[in-house]
Amino acid sequence: MIRVMGAGAFGTALAVSLAKTGPVTLWCRDAEHAREMRKERENARRLPGVALPEEISIATGDLPATDVDATLLSVPTQKLRAFCEENQRLLGSGGPLVACCKGIELSTGKRPTEVIEDVLPGAICAILTGPSFADDIARGLPTALTLACEGEATGAALQERLTTPNLRLYRSTDVTGAELGGALKNVVAIGCGAAMGAGLGESARAALLTRAFAEMKRAAVEMGAERETLSGLSGFGDLVLTCTSGQSRNYRFGVSLGKGEDFEPGVTVEGAATAEAVCTHAEKAGLDLPVMRAIMLLVTGQLRVEQAMDMLLSRPLKEE
């Protein structure tokens, strides 16, 4: 049995896909939300229009720990530490823990698996990441993701267990690279959305995406990743998807910034905090990340889009 902790859109979509291969428990923090899903067999709050198969059990509060193959944590990165602290007993008895979030913790600069290991020392951790939208997964559309785990045997077992007819997983042992690819691309998606929202055009977006990808690789390698990982699904693949689609929350947030409009209330934008976290690290490490820094200044209200673009275009000319 698989446990999915977190009944947001992505957690629900994973549960729907995994239900094709066996029983799944979808855990919800809000008891009233859980009752709604049991009654309607739909997560109308987060993923409307998608029926929840009978193989999915909706749970809240304590859960039995028997026969759990893996526990997937579909919780935003900035809330992950508090979630793990509140549910230590529950998480300590549910098989390998698979983080399903993308970001860097602002207060510590740590990646999701590092946050989990801080709270639960000795836990077996993995990361599930890559180019994916909840609606596509839930509708059964073909999706490919990276499953990164340092232990090869554990990674292979998780890959076999979590693969479904529409969800194909590729295995990696570079947890750092997989996590940083997923985190940093959210920052770039904000910048690309801002460029489009401000009417700067698709050529500007392509240039921004390309130069930011070079920064992603430079930053990730300095932080311990393998360069090749950033060219895979969890890096380049996810970057292309989220920098070109209105389904991306980070991209839509950027569009709102570019237009000078308020963004959708209550929607998590992981790239905003990650922009600050990566720029803080870059400053300490002496890394030159001009695109990431411009996006950070834009997100924090220190620059307007036109000022950010002027700052980037006025940099000294150089070889590619």
Side-chain angles (χ1 to χ4, degrees):
M1 190 263 289
I2 300 295
R3 292 194 313 202
V4 179
M5 309 287 286
F10 195 68
T12 303
L14 287 174
V16 169
S17 185
L18 289 164
K20 297 172 184 176
T21 62
V24 179
T25 295
L26 178 61
W27 187 91
C28 178
R29 179 195 297 270
D30 185 338
E32 179 58 31
H33 188 193
R35 282 192 290 270
E36 290 174 9
M37 287 191 286
R38 290 193 198 102
K39 179 181 178 181
E40 304 296 335
R41 299 307 301 175
E42 177 186 357
N43 188 350
R45 297 190 188 185
R46 297 289 183 261
L47 198 64
V50 176
L52 300 180
E54 291 303 317
E55 289 81 5
I56 297 178
S57 300
I58 311 299
T60 190
D62 288 339
L63 289 173
T66 56
D67 301 322
V68 178
D69 298 319
T71 297
L72 278 57
L73 303 181
S74 186
V75 180
T77 300
Q78 306 307 322
K79 298 181 180 179
L80 183 60
R81 184 178 297 274
F83 179 85
C84 290
E85 289 172 346
E86 292 170 8
N87 297 280
Q88 286 189 56
R89 188 196 61 78
L90 190 59
L91 298 177
S93 57
L97 302 177
V98 183
C100 303
C101 51
K102 301 170 182 177
I104 299 174
E105 189 176 49
L106 180 56
S107 60
T108 66
K110 293 191 174 183
R111 299 175 280 107
T113 58
E114 293 179 311
V115 171
I116 295 171
E117 289 163 355
D118 272 358
V119 181
L120 296 162
I124 300 173
C125 295
I127 182 76
L128 184 63
T129 184
S132 55
F133 291 135
D135 189 63
D136 290 348
I137 294 174
R139 289 169 55 204
L141 299 178
T143 304
L145 298 176
T146 296
L147 176 74
C149 181
E150 290 183 358
E152 292 190 15
T154 300
L158 285 170
Q159 179 186 36
E160 183 71 25
R161 183 63 183 86
L162 300 179
T163 292
T164 75
N166 72 296
L167 193 59
R168 179 177 176 83
L169 305 187
Y170 287 83
R171 192 171 73 251
S172 172
T173 56
D174 183 14
V175 175
T176 300
E179 289 186 295
L180 290 176
L184 298 177
K185 62 88 188 176
N186 281 336
V187 181
V188 185
I190 293 173
C192 287
M196 296 303 289
L200 300 180
E202 295 187 359
S203 296
R205 175 172 61 181
L208 183 68
L209 188 156
T210 304
R211 296 310 305 160
F213 183 48
E215 291 186 16
M216 283 176 58
K217 289 186 286 186
R218 190 158 65 246
V221 169
E222 192 279 334
M223 296 168 77
E226 298 172 14
R227 182 178 296 273
E228 294 77 10
T229 303
L230 274 293
S231 296
L233 288 167
S234 59
F236 182 70
D238 212 356
L239 178 70
V240 170
L241 181 69
T242 52
C243 289
T244 58
S245 173
Q247 289 193 67
S248 165
R249 294 168 297 181
N250 292 279
Y251 180 80
R252 293 201 310 274
F253 175 67
V255 170
S256 295
L257 286 176
K259 291 182 175 181
E261 299 175 349
D262 292 333
F263 188 57
E264 307 155 39
V267 175
T268 299
V269 181
E270 290 279 27
T274 299
E276 294 187 65
V278 71
C279 286
T280 297
H281 176 85
E283 185 175 353
K284 293 178 180 177
L287 274 175
D288 184 27
L289 305 178
V291 175
M292 295 282 184
R293 185 170 183 274
I295 295 169
M296 181 274 292
L297 294 172
L298 179 65
V299 166
T300 55
Q302 299 178 65
L303 286 182
R304 299 190 306 274
V305 175
E306 297 79 7
Q307 293 172 312
M309 188 56 64
D310 287 345
M311 185 178 79
L312 292 173
L313 291 176
S314 63
R315 284 172 55 80
L317 299 177
K318 57 184 290 188
E319 291 184 354
E320 187 172 26

